Amino acid sequence: MEDTRTSLGARLKQARQEAQLKQEQAARYLRVTPSAISGIESGQRKVDALELFYLSKLYNKPLDWFFAPQQDLNTNPNSPWFDQDPLIREILFLLEKASPDLRRRAAYGVLGFLSDR
């Protein structure tokens, strides 16, 4: 259990740094103290589900990114291309839950974006 908390904290710190945010900024966003963010990142403090959800949005990372083993975040040559990126996996998951009309509009948006390249 402690190992999971420590690795989750390390991933949260990595995500915060990749987002180029300071602990103080994340703390303000969550309405907690900077020492709470420090405790979460060091594995000394538990992070609740809502905090993790909000941090994933702030850091622009899908939730599964925080739990995937490091090697899963890189490319696994045996996985299909769309399974190699947590963001693509989350998009496909959300598209699957969307209405047919929304899926179609999203598809036209992606086609338009890709055809402009």
Side-chain angles (χ1 to χ4, degrees):
M1 182 70 104
E2 191 68 31
D3 231 15
T4 302
R5 193 183 308 166
T6 303
S7 65
L8 176 58
R11 299 309 299 276
L12 284 162
K13 181 177 182 176
Q14 178 185 349
R16 178 181 55 76
Q17 291 172 335
E18 287 178 7
Q20 298 179 342
L21 295 170
K22 295 182 178 184
Q23 285 183 341
E24 293 79 14
Q25 293 168 299
R28 232 183 346 265
Y29 182 77
L30 281 186
R31 296 185 177 154
V32 298
T33 64
S35 63
I37 298 297
S38 178
I40 289 170
E41 291 181 355
S42 67
Q44 300 301 309
R45 178 187 180 276
K46 292 180 182 178
V47 59
D48 74 33
L50 278 175
E51 289 173 331
L52 181 59
F53 173 76
Y54 289 130
L55 288 173
S56 76
K57 298 301 176 200
L58 177 64
Y59 300 155
N60 198 29
K61 299 280 187 196
L63 283 170
D64 68 344
W65 185 89
F66 296 101
F67 299 100
Q70 189 64 39
Q71 65 269 19
D72 287 354
L73 297 176
N74 301 323
T75 56
N76 178 350
N78 298 326
S79 297
W81 66 270
F82 52 83
D83 240 7
Q84 295 178 11
D85 184 330
L87 184 58
I88 300 295
R89 283 196 311 267
E90 185 167 341
I91 289 169
L92 292 174
F93 173 76
L94 293 172
L95 279 171
E96 184 178 55
K97 292 173 30 178
S99 70
D101 181 55
L102 183 57
R103 278 195 297 251
R104 191 160 200 66
R105 287 186 294 155
Y108 280 120
V110 170
L111 286 171
F113 173 76
L114 293 176
S115 64
D116 285 345
R117 300 197 144 255

